[in-house]
Amino acid sequence: MTITLKDRLSHFTYREACKLLGPEGERFIRQGGKYDFDIGEQVTWGEDFFRLNLGEATVTLSLKPENPKSLDFACSQCSESCEHAGAAFSLILEEKLSLGLSAPPPEKQPVESLSDEEVIKLAIEERSERAKNEKMQLKSMNRHELWTDYTITSHFSGKSYRVALRGWKEGESYCSCPDFRKNTLGTCKHILYTIDEVKKRFNQKVVNYPAASCGASNSLKNFPPP
Ligand SMILES: [Zn+2]
Ligand SMILES: [Zn+2]
């Protein structure tokens, strides 16, 4: 069986990325995570390559023809490992779902046989699993307020997004990540992580308040920022 680049990338891990980038890999990935870009505009998929156009440099990932299991990367501006390549790896590690790289375990039912409701349930479960298993850091804009804006940073990829927590249910909160914009679920792993985390930080009494009585009407209409 031949493996495709997408197969390969869907199983790509942080450790592999560090190894590929060499001794400074960790730093490159973290720095690369700071780049802000539009997946739709700046990512190109070919039959056997992935390309990220950062403006100042273009990074191409492909499989080595002589050893299809190992990944090759090239930057148009640098001859060695660089933060541009770090940006490509950080994106792939962080955005598997929105890049179409999620690999559902084979024992799960094929999506075609499920009802719409089941598909949605599955998609949320997938994100909730990521929220549980990925290391993220949550910073509140106002520590005393539950219904406020949070910055969430992925520990490994260094990518930061903004979560506006406005309610517990799907569709009530917002996240600036590409997955949230695209998935139409009204939630994402960042929102799910934030919800879990604030429930630990705030006591039950506060948690039981509905969003409206906590004076959260403020910045809803200003989010996402123009
Ligand atoms: Zn470079
Ligand atoms: Zn998100």
Side-chain angles (χ1 to χ4, degrees):
M1 201 181 98
T2 52
I3 65 163
T4 64
L5 179 63
K6 280 201 172 187
D7 292 337
R8 182 68 188 81
L9 290 177
S10 67
H11 298 286
F12 192 60
T13 64
Y14 177 68
R15 276 182 61 170
E16 288 179 277
C18 292
K19 218 168 134 193
L20 261 171
L21 289 171
E24 283 187 276
E26 226 164 289
R27 184 170 67 81
F28 288 139
I29 294 170
R30 222 173 273 260
Q31 277 175 352
K34 304 238 174 338
Y35 281 91
D36 218 355
F37 41 76
D38 182 331
I39 291 182
E41 296 271 314
Q42 286 163 272
V43 169
T44 324
W45 284 101
E47 186 88 342
D48 49 6
F49 69 85
F50 162 95
R51 191 162 289 152
L52 172 65
N53 182 353
L54 290 165
E56 60 191 66
T58 301
V59 180
T60 308
L61 307 181
S62 54
L63 296 176
K64 284 183 185 163
E66 68 276 15
N67 177 7
K69 273 192 187 150
S70 64
L71 204 61
D72 226 356
F73 67 92
C75 173
S76 62
Q77 295 302 307
C78 316
S79 53
E80 286 169 28
S81 290
C82 59
E83 61 182 55
H84 308 122
F89 289 138
S90 156
L91 174 70
I92 283 163
L93 293 168
E94 182 66 27
E95 290 303 333
K96 283 188 180 161
L97 292 175
S98 43
L99 288 168
L101 291 174
S102 73
E107 72 269 19
K108 281 195 183 157
Q109 260 180 293
V111 172
E112 305 81 61
S113 68
L114 301 175
S115 69
D116 286 356
E117 227 167 82
E118 288 169 319
V119 171
I120 291 172
K121 207 177 134 229
L122 213 69
I124 294 177
E125 268 169 21
E126 212 174 349
R127 283 156 181 85
S128 149
E129 227 158 89
R130 278 169 198 268
K132 281 200 187 76
N133 297 325
E134 292 177 17
K135 233 173 148 184
M136 301 182 223
Q137 242 159 22
L138 190 69
K139 226 178 105 193
S140 173
M141 296 294 147
N142 177 359
R143 281 189 310 119
H144 307 290
E145 188 71 67
L146 172 67
W147 306 109
T148 184
D149 292 359
Y150 296 83
T151 307
I152 188 155
T153 308
S154 155
H155 181 72
F156 290 139
S157 72
K159 279 216 164 305
S160 280
Y161 297 110
R162 211 171 142 97
V163 169
L165 194 68
R166 298 296 180 266
W168 304 123
K169 289 198 221 108
E170 280 100 50
E172 293 181 338
S173 297
Y174 295 80
C175 180
S176 64
C177 78
D179 184 47
F180 181 83
R181 247 176 283 160
K182 223 176 104 178
N183 68 29
T184 68
L185 298 168
T187 192
C188 65
K189 63 181 181 187
H190 307 108
I191 292 176
L192 293 168
Y193 181 90
T194 305
I195 287 176
D196 260 7
E197 211 32 50
V198 299
K199 282 188 173 167
K200 282 184 230 158
R201 288 187 193 180
F202 285 87
N203 71 35
Q204 207 53 45
K205 235 165 128 190
V206 179
V207 163
N208 288 337
Y209 278 149
S213 60
C214 289
S217 57
N218 39 28
S219 60
L220 247 190
K221 52 184 178 302
N222 299 324
F223 193 87

